[in-house]
Amino acid sequence: MTLAELLGAARRKLAESGVEDAALDARLLVEHFTGTSRSDAIARPDRTIDPRTVAEVEAALARRCRGEPVHRILGFREFYGLRLSLSVETLEPRPDTEVLVDAVLPFMRDVASREGECRVLDLGTGTGAIALALLANVPGAVATGVDISDDALATAARNAVDLGLADRFRPKKSDWFAEISGRYHVIASNPPYIGSNEIAALQKEVRLFDPLRALDGGDDGLEPYRIIAAGAASHLEQGGRVAVEIGSTQRLEVGSIFADAGFRLVRALSDLAGNDRVLVFATA
């Protein structure tokens, strides 16, 4: 089978299964397993693909047709220019979460410049996406990535090593603040924020393949924010910031939770679709 034939067959198979962005997913899978690029598809469409590789591509396509997200099949995803490995108990980082990184980078650079160091606590670190993106962009920063999952912590630690950031990243097993001591200039989190009764209505790519613990925010989707707001002040340096990702309809509720805990809203950012996405707080 030639590369062009394999790409065409992959696109058709995914499209017939109702996969959105079938052409893109087909290209990503074919390129990954064949070791080719877009330029190869243009310059060498008649390149022969061996039967073993074709079988690997077909197996990957079958997984995608069953609903498994393409990046789960690839085993990694790009986030803020970083390639992050995924695992069973890590949330697949989304572009919306890059807004949180954007929200705190200027503050972190200022702190690092002024004090020589900026300490970050990333609650629910998962792949380490938030913490590692911040470290990659602020050489004077150090981060502790907190998670309750051993699998997630191992994945975050591996990503830190792969990115050359392990000397500034410390994985820590803790149920939110339970095992955390010390104070930080930035506390960041993309917590679970979907209501328990809303999980069943999620797309199967999310519902079946993202870890439930990283999705379920309790009955109203707000329980993690109550925990973060209640514990943040005792772990925040004077003048520090707490930055959280939120669901698109949660701005008022989350703002009220933090206000009741003694915080004031200093920044609110939207994602590329114009939805409320990140809130940044300081002590009142």
Side-chain angles (χ1 to χ4, degrees):
M1 181 176 284
T2 66
L3 178 57
E5 289 170 341
L6 183 56
L7 280 166
R11 284 194 297 268
R12 288 191 296 273
K13 183 177 181 65
L14 295 186
E16 290 168 0
S17 294
V19 173
E20 293 184 19
D21 296 323
L24 174 60
D25 286 4
R27 179 175 65 79
L28 290 173
L29 291 171
V30 169
E31 288 177 359
H32 178 71
F33 287 98
T34 63
T36 60
S37 65
R38 296 186 72 179
S39 60
D40 290 324
I42 296 170
R44 301 181 59 195
D46 57 348
R47 172 176 172 173
T48 300
I49 306 301
D50 65 87
R52 180 176 178 179
T53 301
V54 171
E56 290 177 343
V57 172
E58 290 176 342
L61 292 169
R63 291 168 65 183
R64 184 68 190 97
C65 290
R66 291 193 294 269
E68 187 170 354
V70 66
H71 290 286
R72 292 275 179 200
I73 299 169
L74 298 178
F76 66 88
R77 180 152 188 174
E78 298 286 330
F79 178 82
Y80 219 84
L82 307 176
R83 176 166 162 159
L84 300 171
S85 294
L86 306 175
S87 59
V88 174
E89 294 185 20
T90 59
L91 187 73
E92 185 180 330
R94 268 72 168 186
D96 287 346
T97 305
E98 295 184 353
V99 176
L100 193 155
V101 177
D102 290 333
V104 297
L105 274 178
F107 175 79
M108 286 182 57
R109 289 178 175 133
D110 181 62
V111 170
S113 176
R114 186 176 66 250
E115 301 189 18
E117 181 181 69
C118 182
R119 295 184 299 281
V120 178
L121 182 67
D122 178 16
L123 295 170
T125 197
T127 60
I130 293 170
L132 297 176
L134 294 173
L135 295 183
N137 286 276
V138 185
V142 294
T144 298
V146 172
D147 212 292
I148 195 65
S149 164
D150 291 320
D151 172 80
L153 291 170
T155 301
R158 183 170 67 253
N159 283 329
V161 170
D162 291 345
L163 295 168
L165 298 169
D167 60 330
R168 294 189 286 130
F169 178 77
R170 181 174 72 106
K172 175 69 173 177
K173 186 172 184 177
S174 180
D175 187 1
W176 300 107
F177 294 105
E179 305 299 326
I180 301 303
S181 59
R183 292 183 178 271
Y184 299 81
H185 299 100
V186 172
I187 297 174
S189 184
N190 174 21
Y193 53 70
I194 299 170
S196 300
N197 61 350
E198 299 172 10
I199 300 293
L202 296 174
Q203 290 180 308
K204 63 180 178 181
E205 285 85 350
V206 176
R207 184 180 73 252
L208 299 181
F209 295 98
D210 275 333
L212 178 62
R213 188 158 49 191
L215 300 172
D216 193 339
D219 289 344
D220 59 1
L222 299 171
E223 190 57 30
Y225 300 106
R226 297 186 182 97
I227 295 170
I228 295 169
S234 61
H235 295 283
L236 196 65
E237 287 281 9
Q238 185 175 3
R241 298 289 186 269
V242 180
V244 293
E245 181 172 332
I246 62 169
S248 60
T249 63
Q250 294 176 323
R251 176 173 173 168
L252 293 179
E253 292 91 339
V254 174
S256 178
I257 288 169
F258 276 87
D260 289 345
F263 290 90
R264 58 186 173 86
L265 181 66
V266 294
R267 288 195 76 184
L269 290 84
S270 301
D271 59 27
L272 293 176
N275 297 313
D276 290 327
R277 189 55 60 193
V278 172
L279 301 179
V280 182
F281 300 94
T283 51

